[in-house]
Amino acid sequence: MNKKLFTLLVILMSLSLIGIIFVQAYYINNSLETKEEQFTFNVKKALTYTTNQVADIEYKKYVKALNKIISEGKEPDTTAIRNITVYKQDNNTNQIIIYNTGILEENFKVPSLIDLNVDSLGLSSFRGKTTTKIYENNVFGGDLISTTEESFEKVLNMDKLQKATFESQYKSEIKNTPIHQRVSPYGIQKLLVKKLREDNIGIGFEFAIFHNDLGTKIQSKNFDQSLAPTIGAPIFLDDNDESDFKLYINFPERKKFIISSIIGVTLLSVLFTLIIIIAYTSALYQLIKQRKISQMKSDFINNMTHEFKTPIATINLALDAIRNPQIINDQEKVKRYLRMIKEENKRMNAQVENVLRISQLQKKQLNISKDRLKLHDLIEDAVTHVELIVEDRKGYIKTHFKAAKSSILANETYFTNVIVNILDNAIKYSPEAPKIDVFTENVGNNILLSVKDQGMGMNKAVQKRIFEEFYREYTGNVHNVKGHGLGLANVKRIVENHQGTVSVESEKGRGSTFTIKLPLIA
C-alpha cells in the first residue's frame, strides 16, 4: 500500500469516527432537549389542572350552600323586573285569553363561607314566569268573568343566566379575600402530586402562590423563586380571565431527573462509541505497525541483498581464478582462494543462522543449554574476535573488570555472540578510530556489563526502537554501515533468555553505552 493511499484511508476513517461521535453527541443533546420540553409541558399541564380544580372546588362550595338554603324552603325577596301582557279575543267561544310573561329577581341571604367577619352575603337568582288566564266575555255588564279552572302559570328555569350571575357575584365578593382563607398548602400539594404522577413525574418539588409578585402564606417550606426554571400559572381568574394571584412551582432535582430518564440510552451510546474508538485506534495502530514492519522488511531484504552480494561476488571471482590454468597449478594461490571461499561461505551461513535464531527465539523454540561460566572469560574471548579490526582502524578496546564476582549461568557460544555483536556495533558506528571501554561491576546479586563507545550516538527516538527486529536508523540510501537490523534484536532475546536485561544510554554525537544486567550464581 503506497503512502498516499494509506494516508487517504486514515483520513477517511478518522472523519467517519469523528462524524459518528458528533452524531451521537447531537442525538444525546437532542434527546435531552426533548425531555426538557416534555417535562415543562407536563408541569404546565399539572399547574393548569390544579388552578382549575381549586377554582372549581371553591365554586362548588358556594353552589352547595345556595342549594341548601333553597332546599330549606327559605322564601326569597321577589321583584319583577319586566312583565309582558298579551290579550287575545276568541270570537267563536266568546272568551278573552290573557298571556302574561315576566322576569323575576329572587334575592337570598347566604352565610359567608370565607370571610368570618361578614355575617352573610346577598345572592340574586333570576327566574322566568308565565301566566295564562281565560275570561268569559259578559257583553251585558261589560265585565270579564274569570274561568279559574283554565287559568294556570308556569315557572321557567333560567339556568345559564342564573349561573353566570351567581359566578359573577361570588367572584366579586371573594376577590379581596386573603388567599390563605381560600385554599390550603396541603390542597395545592395534593392536586399537584396527583397530576404529576399521572405523567410519571415522581420527584420532589416546591411551590408557592404569589400576589402581585409578593409571597403569600400558601407556599412549601423550601420554595426558592430564584431557582431556575420556575414555572407559573394564574389562579382564581376573574370575569376578565385575569388574576392578581399566580401559582409557581420548581424542582430542585429537575436536571438530575431529566438526565436519569435518558441515562440508559446515553450510557449505551457512550459504550458503543468507546468500543468503536478502541476498535478504530487498534486497527489504525495495527495498520501503522504492519506498514512499518512491511517497510522494515523491505529495508531488511535490501540490506540482506547488499550483505550477500559481496561474499557471492568474492566466491565467484575466487572460483573463476581457480579455473584459470595459470593459477590452478599454483598451490599457494589455490589455498588462498579456497580460504576466501570458506570464509565468505561461513559469513553467509552466519547471516542465515542469525535470522533462524531470531525466528526460534520469537517462537520460544530455541533450547539453549547453560553452564556455569565466568563473564570475564566470555568478555575476553569476545574481544579477541574484534581486536584485529579495531587495531586496523587505529582504535582500542580496554577492559575494566571491577566486579569481584562474575560467575553466571550462560551458554558460551550464544553469550559470546551477544558481546561480539555489541562490540561490532560500537566499531561500526564509530566514524573515527573506535575507542571502546568495557566495564563490569557487582550490584547486589547481579553483575553489570557496560560497553561504552565514543561513536556517533543516537537520539531518544532511535533509542526506543533500537532493539526492534529489522529496525535500523534511517540514513537514506547509504550503506556505509553494514547490517540488516537483526543484531540487537537477537541480543535482547538471548539476554532475556538468560533472565537478564539490556538497555542503552546515548547522546547524538557523543557515543553510546550498552548495559547488560545478569543474575550471579553462588
Side-chain angles (χ1 to χ4, degrees):
M1 186 185 297
N2 60 54
K3 186 176 181 180
K4 288 185 179 179
L5 179 59
F6 179 79
T7 304
L8 179 62
L9 285 175
V10 170
I11 291 173
L12 290 176
M13 290 170 65
S14 300
L15 288 175
S16 299
L17 179 61
I18 293 170
I20 290 172
I21 293 172
F22 272 105
V23 167
Q24 292 292 335
Y26 173 79
Y27 168 76
I28 293 171
N29 184 64
N30 191 54
S31 297
L32 195 61
E33 289 179 355
T34 302
K35 289 291 183 181
E36 285 270 8
E37 292 173 0
Q38 184 179 359
F39 183 88
T40 302
F41 173 78
N42 289 334
V43 170
K44 287 182 178 179
K45 188 168 65 172
L47 284 175
T48 302
Y49 169 80
T50 301
T51 55
N52 290 338
Q53 283 294 106
V54 168
D56 192 50
I57 290 170
E58 185 180 60
Y59 173 71
K60 286 179 179 178
K61 287 181 181 179
Y62 277 86
V63 172
K64 184 177 180 181
L66 180 61
N67 288 335
K68 182 179 179 182
I69 293 172
I70 294 173
S71 65
E72 290 174 351
K74 183 175 181 180
E75 291 294 329
D77 296 331
T78 304
T79 303
I81 296 178
R82 176 175 292 183
N83 281 304
I84 299 174
T85 303
V86 177
Y87 295 86
K88 183 179 180 182
Q89 176 71 48
D90 191 340
N91 296 323
N92 296 324
T93 60
N94 198 28
Q95 292 178 334
I96 296 175
I97 303 172
I98 300 174
Y99 299 94
N100 183 272
T101 302
I103 299 176
L104 305 178
E105 180 182 5
E106 298 177 338
N107 298 309
F108 294 90
K109 292 295 183 180
V110 181
S112 177
L113 299 177
I114 298 173
D115 194 345
L116 300 178
N117 296 321
V118 179
D119 294 332
S120 63
L121 58 100
L123 292 177
S124 297
S125 174
F126 295 91
R127 300 183 71 83
K129 180 179 179 181
T130 63
T131 303
T132 302
K133 290 187 179 181
I134 300 173
Y135 295 91
E136 296 290 340
N137 190 4
N138 186 349
V139 296
F140 298 102
D143 296 327
L144 294 176
I145 302 172
S146 177
T147 309
T148 56
E149 302 87 49
E150 299 182 45
S151 176
F152 61 89
E153 64 181 25
K154 182 180 180 182
V155 178
L156 301 177
N157 189 4
M158 302 175 67
D159 288 336
K160 291 184 179 180
L161 179 60
Q162 182 179 349
K163 181 178 179 181
T165 305
F166 178 68
E167 287 182 356
S168 178
Q169 285 179 325
Y170 98 82
K171 284 183 179 179
S172 298
E173 191 273 333
I174 64 175
K175 185 174 183 179
N176 297 317
T177 302
I179 191 68
H180 63 273
Q181 295 180 9
R182 302 178 67 181
V183 67
S184 67
Y186 174 76
I188 295 287
Q189 183 171 4
K190 185 178 178 181
L191 291 169
L192 286 172
V193 168
K194 176 186 175 183
K195 194 60 180 176
L196 289 172
R197 284 183 177 174
E198 288 180 5
D199 294 315
N200 298 317
I201 301 177
I203 59 172
F205 60 86
E206 303 294 336
F207 67 91
I209 293 180
F210 275 63
H211 178 246
N212 293 329
D213 296 328
L214 295 175
T216 67
K217 294 181 179 180
I218 307 301
Q219 61 179 279
S220 58
K221 184 177 180 180
N222 299 315
F223 179 79
D224 182 5
Q225 191 180 17
S226 63
L227 183 64
T230 296
I231 304 171
I235 189 171
F236 295 125
L237 298 174
D238 58 19
D239 291 335
N240 298 321
D241 290 331
E242 297 176 351
S243 177
D244 294 333
F245 296 98
K246 203 164 186 179
L247 173 61
Y248 290 99
I249 186 173
N250 56 40
F251 299 81
E253 297 184 352
R254 173 192 176 108
K255 278 288 183 186
K256 185 178 179 181
F257 174 76
I258 294 174
I259 291 173
S260 66
S261 65
I262 63 168
I263 192 67
V265 175
T266 302
L267 288 177
L268 284 176
S269 178
V270 171
L271 176 63
F272 289 134
T273 303
L274 285 175
I275 291 173
I276 292 172
I277 292 172
I278 292 170
Y280 167 75
T281 52
S282 299
L284 185 59
Y285 172 77
Q286 292 299 326
L287 279 173
I288 295 172
K289 185 177 180 181
Q290 290 300 319
R291 188 173 182 276
K292 287 181 178 180
I293 291 174
S294 177
Q295 185 64 44
M296 286 189 290
K297 284 184 177 179
S298 297
D299 293 341
F300 164 73
I301 292 171
N302 292 334
N303 285 313
M304 183 66 80
T305 302
H306 184 81
E307 288 290 322
F308 281 146
K309 275 184 178 179
T310 302
I312 290 172
T314 302
I315 290 172
N316 287 332
L317 288 172
L319 289 173
D320 289 339
I322 291 173
R323 284 199 300 267
N324 191 327
Q326 296 179 355
I327 303 268
I328 198 168
N329 294 321
D330 189 339
Q331 295 296 320
E332 289 298 324
K333 288 186 177 181
V334 169
K335 288 180 180 179
R336 180 189 171 198
Y337 289 133
L338 287 175
R339 282 196 303 271
M340 290 174 62
I341 292 171
K342 184 178 181 180
E343 289 298 324
E344 295 301 323
N345 184 62
K346 186 186 294 184
R347 181 180 170 188
M348 287 193 295
N349 187 62
Q351 299 287 4
V352 174
E353 287 293 330
N354 204 13
V355 176
L356 292 176
R357 189 181 302 118
I358 286 184
S359 177
Q360 289 174 322
L361 281 169
Q362 282 181 318
K363 298 176 182 178
K364 298 183 179 180
Q365 294 175 348
L366 187 62
N367 185 18
I368 301 177
S369 60
K370 302 179 182 71
D371 300 306
R372 180 189 181 92
L373 300 171
K374 295 284 188 180
L375 181 59
H376 290 166
D377 295 339
L378 297 178
I379 295 171
E380 290 176 347
D381 185 28
V383 169
T384 59
H385 284 74
V386 296
E387 61 183 354
L388 291 177
I389 301 174
V390 174
E391 290 174 2
D392 183 61
R393 292 186 56 189
K394 311 300 182 183
Y396 67 79
I397 296 181
K398 295 180 181 179
T399 57
H400 310 273
F401 296 154
K402 297 180 180 179
K405 300 176 182 179
S406 67
S407 296
I408 60 172
L409 192 64
N411 181 283
E412 183 176 0
T413 303
Y414 283 107
F415 212 84
T416 300
N417 286 336
V418 165
I419 302 171
V420 169
N421 210 316
I422 294 176
L423 293 172
D424 186 51
N425 270 337
I427 295 167
K428 287 192 296 184
Y429 289 95
S430 295
E432 306 298 332
K435 298 176 182 179
I436 304 168
D437 291 278
V438 181
F439 301 87
T440 64
E441 62 176 317
N442 291 130
V443 178
N445 294 323
N446 301 295
I447 184 170
L448 298 184
L449 164 61
S450 300
V451 178
K452 182 178 181 181
D453 65 63
Q454 300 179 30
M456 64 177 65
M458 64 190 89
N459 58 37
K460 296 292 183 183
V462 176
Q463 291 178 50
K464 291 179 180 179
R465 303 187 58 194
I466 196 67
F467 295 107
E468 294 179 14
E469 59 189 54
F470 305 118
Y471 178 78
R472 296 185 69 211
E473 185 176 3
Y474 180 73
T475 56
N477 192 27
V478 178
H479 296 280
N480 57 320
V481 179
K482 309 299 182 188
H484 42 75
L486 288 174
L488 290 177
N490 188 24
V491 165
K492 185 174 186 295
R493 286 184 173 86
I494 292 176
V495 170
E496 288 176 350
N497 186 272
H498 285 72
Q499 286 74 51
T501 59
V502 59
S503 59
V504 63
E505 292 182 4
S506 183
E507 188 176 345
K508 196 72 174 176
R510 295 193 176 184
S512 304
T513 300
F514 284 85
T515 302
I516 295 174
K517 182 179 179 181
L518 293 168
L520 291 168
I521 61 172

